[in-house]
Amino acid sequence: MALNREKILDTALDLLCRFGLADLSMRRLASELGVAPGALYYHVANKQELLSSLANRLLAHLDTSRSLQGPSDLLRQGQALYQLLIPVKESAEVLRLALAYRGLKDQVFPLRQQLTLAFARLAPAGQEELAAEVFLHTCLSLMEQTQTQALLAGQLPADQPDSSYQQALSAIIKGFTDPDKG
């Protein structure tokens, strides 16, 4: 089979799931695919682009097409994000790297746009992007913590978020939407 972007992303995701982010190097990816490392650069410019594309691949099954109307929708989307990403080692870190890569606030993540639109309806004017950013990064931070704790304990992370995850997201939503605050 000829080398293509989809094959590269499939293999990168497999390596991430099996070994984690530290072992997802361009050299290891090329070796796994049976090609010289230079062959990868025809399809992806660099590791940052690979991780950004991988982040989009990780989020592909998250429903970002529907409008989030209120706090309960935001909480459900936070839970769906957790359930989607928690089985993949260091997926939260991959998403953070992708968010940082060239300021991909516009290009990456329909999820980010969905959250921003939801907070535009709920938060004071001008705070919707900040609220979406804080919400998303809190989700990722808590997932990263859960994955790390499970790894250190030699266990798999829980497939459902614990109550502190939901409480943290609720506090963020309340902090940005409570008319007595701000």
Side-chain angles (χ1 to χ4, degrees):
M1 178 177 199
L3 185 64
N4 60 48
R5 188 175 181 85
E6 292 306 307
K7 179 81 171 146
I8 291 169
L9 290 174
D10 288 343
T11 304
L13 182 57
D14 178 60
L15 287 173
L16 181 66
C17 289
R18 287 190 292 148
F19 304 110
L21 187 56
D23 287 330
L24 177 57
S25 67
M26 296 299 270
R27 188 173 306 279
R28 180 158 195 175
L29 180 58
S31 175
E32 192 79 14
L33 289 163
V35 299
L40 298 175
Y41 295 104
Y42 179 78
H43 302 281
V44 292
N46 50 41
K47 186 171 180 182
Q48 291 80 11
E49 183 183 313
L50 174 74
L51 293 175
S52 177
S53 297
L54 199 53
N56 284 325
R57 168 79 53 102
L58 288 167
L59 292 175
H61 298 291
L62 187 68
D63 181 8
T64 56
S65 63
R66 64 183 176 81
S67 176
L68 305 178
Q69 297 298 315
S72 61
D73 285 344
L74 281 163
L75 287 173
R76 275 193 295 278
Q77 191 67 325
Q79 183 168 359
L81 181 64
Y82 178 98
Q83 291 169 327
L84 180 69
L85 296 180
I86 205 69
V88 180
K89 286 181 186 174
E90 299 171 307
S91 55
E93 289 178 68
V94 170
L95 267 65
R96 280 185 201 270
L97 290 167
L99 281 168
Y101 176 58
R102 285 193 293 194
L104 290 176
K105 294 176 182 176
D106 304 327
Q107 183 181 348
V108 174
F109 308 146
L111 170 61
R112 189 170 181 189
Q113 294 170 330
Q114 181 190 45
L115 294 172
T116 301
L117 289 172
F119 278 109
R121 283 188 282 285
L122 301 170
Q127 291 192 348
E128 58 275 357
E129 286 195 26
L130 176 62
E133 181 94 3
V134 170
F135 185 89
L136 181 55
H137 279 285
T138 299
C139 290
L140 297 175
S141 291
L142 294 173
M143 279 186 262
E144 186 176 340
Q145 177 179 306
T146 298
Q147 287 177 324
T148 301
Q149 288 171 338
L151 178 67
L152 292 173
Q155 302 171 344
L156 293 174
D159 59 353
Q160 296 292 324
D162 63 17
S163 62
S164 66
Y165 181 87
Q166 296 294 81
Q167 290 168 353
L169 297 186
S170 293
I172 290 166
I173 294 166
K174 183 174 179 165
F176 279 102
T177 60
D178 188 339
D180 295 332
K181 307 266 185 206

